[in-house]
Amino acid sequence: MTNWLDDSEQQAWRAFLQGSAQILDSVNRDMGRDSGLSFNEYEILVLLSEAPNRQLRMSTLAQHLVHSRSRLTHAVNRLEKAGYVERFPCADDLRGINCSLTDAGFAKLERSAADHVESVRRNFLDLITREEFLELGRIHTKLLQASDPEAI
């Protein structure tokens, strides 16, 4: 038997979906205007900057993306054409492909970071209290751990 959402749950669920989409769309729009990067491209640069030797396998990069995993290859193609990343075969597994952040990519990330944070604050953090934000972090950590205990 289906345990349907009641009216309050349905309202909360739809608000969550619409609110999340609106925040991501706003940040993506700001990123394009301010840095010429999409949110997805920025996220790729961040993940690579935090990785050992600034490189990850493409499959690992896809697992850690928050926004549009299906567009990873397209985004990496654009970043590679701009000189921000490089791809090359994995030394230990020639079927795999590594993606590496270039010095130009790291510099682009550094130039874009302040605008990104400002957009996140304007479109999200400034609209809720610090306590609400931290509670959302706890809730989402709990959800991530339930689906993948290794995720956090």
Side-chain angles (χ1 to χ4, degrees):
M1 178 173 198
T2 302
N3 185 12
W4 297 103
L5 302 181
D6 66 28
D7 289 344
S8 296
E9 292 169 332
Q10 185 67 262
Q11 183 179 7
W13 174 243
R14 288 183 180 175
F16 166 76
L17 292 176
Q18 291 173 342
S20 297
Q22 181 178 330
I23 292 164
L24 290 174
D25 286 347
S26 295
V27 171
N28 190 49
R29 185 176 49 254
D30 289 350
M31 291 294 303
R33 181 193 65 229
D34 298 338
S35 69
L37 295 172
S38 69
F39 178 76
N40 199 25
E41 292 165 339
Y42 180 82
E43 183 182 19
I44 291 166
L45 297 181
V46 168
L47 288 169
L48 291 171
S49 76
E50 295 171 344
N53 300 318
R54 295 185 187 163
Q55 72 180 32
L56 290 169
R57 282 181 73 123
M58 289 288 288
S59 58
T60 303
L61 193 54
Q63 290 171 352
H64 294 324
L65 285 178
V66 172
H67 194 256
S68 190
R69 292 177 184 157
S70 63
R71 302 203 51 164
L72 174 62
T73 300
H74 185 63
V76 170
N77 283 341
R78 287 192 311 267
L79 292 169
E80 193 169 35
K81 284 179 185 174
Y84 299 146
V85 302
E86 296 174 337
R87 284 182 285 190
F88 52 93
C90 296
D92 58 340
D93 176 7
L94 295 179
R95 294 175 297 156
I97 301 292
N98 281 336
C99 186
S100 178
L101 182 66
T102 65
D103 290 340
F106 189 75
K108 178 67 170 178
L109 177 61
E110 287 184 315
R111 289 190 306 274
S112 304
D115 288 333
H116 170 74
V117 170
E118 181 59 35
S119 177
V120 170
R121 288 199 175 281
R122 181 176 54 256
N123 291 294
F124 185 37
L125 297 180
D126 290 348
L127 305 176
I128 61 176
T129 67
R130 177 176 169 76
E131 293 74 27
E132 289 168 329
F133 177 63
L134 296 177
E135 182 62 19
L136 280 172
R138 287 188 288 273
I139 290 167
H140 284 89
T141 297
K142 183 177 181 179
L143 295 172
L144 286 170
Q145 288 173 335
S147 65
D148 181 5
E150 304 286 324
I152 300 293

